[in-house]
Amino acid sequence: MKSEYELSFAGAPSIKTKLPGPRSLELLKKQNQLETGTRTYTNHFQLAVKKASGSTIEDMDGNVFIDWFSGICVMNMGHGHPEVKKAMIDQLDSIVHINEVPTEARMNFLETLNSTLPGGLRNKSKVMFTVTGADACEAAISLARYVSKKKTIVAFGGAYHGVAGDIVGATGNHHYRDFAGLSSQNIYHLPYPYAYRFPGKVKEEDISKFVVDQLEYLITDPYAGPGAIGGVLVEPIQGEGGYIVPPDDFLPLLRELTEKHSVPLILDEVQTGVGRTGKIWASEHQKVTPDIMCISKSIGGGIPTSMIAYRSEYDQNLPAGFHLGTYRGNPLALAAGNAILNHLKNSGLLDRVRIKGEYIKSRFQEIADDNKFVGDVRGRGFMIAAELVKDKKTKEPAVELVSRAKSTMFSKGLLMHTCGHYSNVLRHMAPLTIEDELIEKGIEIFGESLKEASKKA
Ligand SMILES: Cc1ncc(COP(=O)(O)O)c(C=O)c1O
């Protein structure tokens, strides 16, 4: 089952210099002088980039890396996908920025997006453009509060919805709130159904019901504590939280309960969407339709854009200017988005993602069976994770081992990133178009690097 365009640089990976190479080092030093020291990615990946193609990235010194990173699920189609590139170039010749007024790119995109939406939203939703993932989530909780006339939003431990404005209150990691000097006022967190580390002694098959029962208690008991619940915000699979796939009954139970109590259900598909899990939207796996859906990352093919899609009846009483911004619905991004969604709808790419995703997960499991530090392997489609622990019984997070394994992979030419409640999860998020050969080479490097890093643990 070959990838469609075979765009990656031949011979990848190829590491020719000590890393970082001399030219990369020069640019990294200059960046340190000119840019904020709060950057994080350059602590992980010490390279300066010259160009990228398919699932490969070439640095300034001619070293070529396999990209299992995709700019954090932004480049799902790979770098320089011909159909996406052509749509952007054609759009460049037409118009690059205009505020809100219709363009062909905008209308084509809206029609195509609507035709892909899950179940009850399909061809019936309203769309509000935003710019970033956090911005979309911010708009989503504002909308839920407005239509429900209630303030408290229930989110989940381990959630990541961004760090801008009020939405930082819904992000599970309190550091981000502390940095912003904000409390999580009007946001209440329940535990996510993270079977590997669920608190207490709830059986795996009962976890979803347990969580949803807690939610019903919050919604119905006036003395429960958090205040009247105006919306539930959830990732169908947790991304930054550790590629945590909840049990299959979680989203359907959540949908049933929120519907029963007329509480808007917001699905944050910023990371799971646009084909990442082997369907265009992750909620399609369980046939769940949210009331509001947050979309970003890969939808713009690398140009920042985001949006919410929501039930059209929510639009009836919304005042003009409800959620504003200068850069909403960028024509380049929407031209790319239209090409991407059409490709996902009409090619066999998603079948490949589902099949190859299961294959990669099975290879990760083989590596885990042979390594006493891999506590859990999980994932769906091309969102696949290996959680590393010091001991499979105590499950103490093996943070240094993860960091050593990541550096070893980097030195061998594989870009693989981490996530997780304790930053102890290695995650595969390669472009969906990655060639078979680079899947194999990546798995080989992943296995070898883990073995080498484990020797020092
Ligand atoms: C699920 C989810 N929601 C929201 C965000 C925030 O998106 P952005 O970084 O564009 O603000 C992210 C970013 O990783 C995410 O993974």
Side-chain angles (χ1 to χ4, degrees):
M1 198 178 221
K2 280 180 86 157
S3 176
E4 26 188 21
Y5 284 109
E6 310 277 324
L7 294 175
S8 295
F9 298 129
S14 155
I15 303 300
K16 300 173 180 155
T17 69
K18 184 171 167 278
L19 295 176
R23 183 69 184 130
S24 285
L25 197 57
E26 216 175 289
L27 293 184
L28 285 162
K29 276 190 186 148
K30 195 179 273 187
Q31 188 182 33
N32 277 341
Q33 282 162 11
L34 298 173
E35 256 189 72
T36 173
T38 62
R39 286 168 290 113
T40 60
Y41 295 112
T42 41
N43 298 335
H44 305 298
F45 302 119
Q46 287 272 299
L47 77 164
V49 172
K50 185 173 178 200
K51 57 185 179 184
S53 192
S55 297
T56 45
I57 292 178
E58 183 181 333
D59 77 4
M60 296 301 293
D61 303 282
N63 299 304
V64 179
F65 297 83
I66 301 175
D67 182 8
W68 268 17
F69 179 64
S70 300
I72 314 275
C73 300
V74 169
M75 302 309 292
N76 282 3
M77 303 293 283
H79 302 273
H81 190 281
E83 292 165 39
V84 181
K85 200 157 129 185
K86 180 173 184 320
M88 282 189 189
I89 291 170
D90 290 351
Q91 187 58 41
L92 262 180
D93 285 336
S94 162
I95 186 162
V96 174
H97 172 84
I98 184 80
N99 309 68
E100 284 191 350
V101 300
T103 56
E104 271 189 7
R106 194 174 183 108
M107 295 306 113
N108 290 342
F109 172 81
L110 284 167
E111 280 177 357
T112 308
L113 173 70
N114 236 304
S115 73
T116 71
L117 289 174
L121 285 179
R122 186 163 301 169
N123 293 321
K124 284 195 230 142
S125 87
K126 284 283 188 155
V127 171
M128 186 189 290
F129 286 112
T130 45
V131 183
T132 64
D135 194 13
C137 294
E138 187 83 53
I141 62 171
S142 299
L143 178 59
R145 284 173 168 149
Y146 194 84
V147 296
S148 68
K149 301 192 174 51
K150 292 173 187 156
K151 284 213 174 68
T152 307
I153 300 293
V154 174
F156 291 85
Y160 187 84
H161 302 291
V163 295
D166 200 22
I167 197 68
V168 69
T171 285
N173 188 335
H174 68 90
H175 290 302
Y176 297 119
R177 280 197 299 282
D178 297 345
F179 295 149
L182 291 170
S183 70
S184 51
Q185 222 185 353
N186 297 325
I187 304 275
Y188 190 93
H189 288 93
L190 280 175
Y192 194 75
Y194 180 9
Y196 185 64
R197 290 184 187 277
F198 199 73
K201 291 204 162 53
V202 189
K203 281 198 209 129
E204 192 166 336
E205 61 270 28
D206 299 329
I207 288 178
S208 304
K209 169 119 183 30
F210 180 89
V211 173
V212 172
D213 283 348
Q214 300 296 309
L215 177 60
E216 183 153 43
Y217 160 68
L218 296 184
I219 294 172
T220 55
D221 187 329
Y223 265 32
I229 308 296
V232 174
L233 171 63
V234 66
E235 291 160 88
I237 294 175
Q238 270 192 351
E240 301 308 295
Y243 279 23
I244 301 164
V245 185
D248 272 343
D249 59 348
F250 177 57
L251 287 184
L253 286 174
L254 209 51
R255 177 65 287 184
E256 201 182 307
L257 183 83
T258 47
E259 210 156 75
K260 178 172 150 197
H261 295 288
S262 304
V263 174
L265 175 64
I266 308 162
L267 288 188
D268 178 351
E269 290 257 17
V270 166
Q271 187 155 167
T272 50
V274 198
R276 179 53 50 188
T277 69
K279 301 257 185 196
I280 298 185
W281 311 110
S283 69
E284 289 178 84
H285 290 282
Q286 283 82 31
K287 301 192 170 39
V288 164
T289 307
D291 300 303
I292 307 171
M293 196 164 109
C294 310
I295 303 166
S296 187
K297 290 200 188 269
S298 244
I299 197 77
I303 310 286
T305 199
S306 67
M307 64 225 54
I308 55 171
Y310 57 96
R311 295 164 73 116
S312 50
E313 59 268 34
Y314 284 180
D315 214 48
Q316 280 157 16
N317 297 315
L318 276 188
F322 178 74
H323 197 82
L324 284 177
T326 304
Y327 290 106
R328 303 189 159 198
N330 175 271
L332 273 189
L334 300 188
N338 189 42
I340 292 168
L341 290 176
N342 274 321
H343 189 85
L344 294 179
K345 265 174 81 172
N346 301 323
S347 71
L349 184 59
L350 293 178
D351 295 332
R352 178 174 188 266
V353 172
R354 289 194 295 273
I355 293 165
K356 286 282 167 194
E358 281 308 305
Y359 167 73
I360 298 166
K361 198 165 64 175
S362 73
R363 294 291 307 276
F364 275 29
Q365 189 58 58
E366 277 169 29
I367 291 167
D369 293 343
D370 209 29
N371 185 307
K372 63 180 184 180
F373 300 113
V374 185
D376 196 31
V377 169
R378 53 183 178 252
R380 178 163 290 144
F382 267 24
M383 254 181 130
I384 304 167
E387 175 156 358
L388 304 198
V389 290
K390 290 185 177 167
D391 179 306
K392 288 191 186 183
K393 273 210 184 88
T394 65
K395 300 184 180 175
E396 190 185 338
V399 182
E400 283 119 48
L401 173 58
V402 162
S403 154
R404 237 185 354 263
K406 185 155 86 167
S407 305
T408 312
M409 285 187 261
F410 180 68
S411 70
K412 293 175 190 284
L414 176 66
L415 303 181
M416 188 177 195
H417 198 33
T418 50
C419 58
H421 288 219
Y422 306 93
S423 304
N424 65 324
V425 177
L426 287 163
R427 57 173 152 166
H428 169 277
M429 47 180 164
L432 313 180
T433 52
I434 188 170
E435 294 83 350
D436 288 356
E437 193 191 340
L438 296 187
I439 292 178
E440 293 304 330
K441 284 189 179 160
I443 293 171
E444 209 174 289
I445 296 174
F446 172 66
E448 273 169 25
S449 304
L450 209 50
K451 208 181 242 176
E452 281 174 35
S454 300
K455 280 189 195 141
K456 295 182 195 143

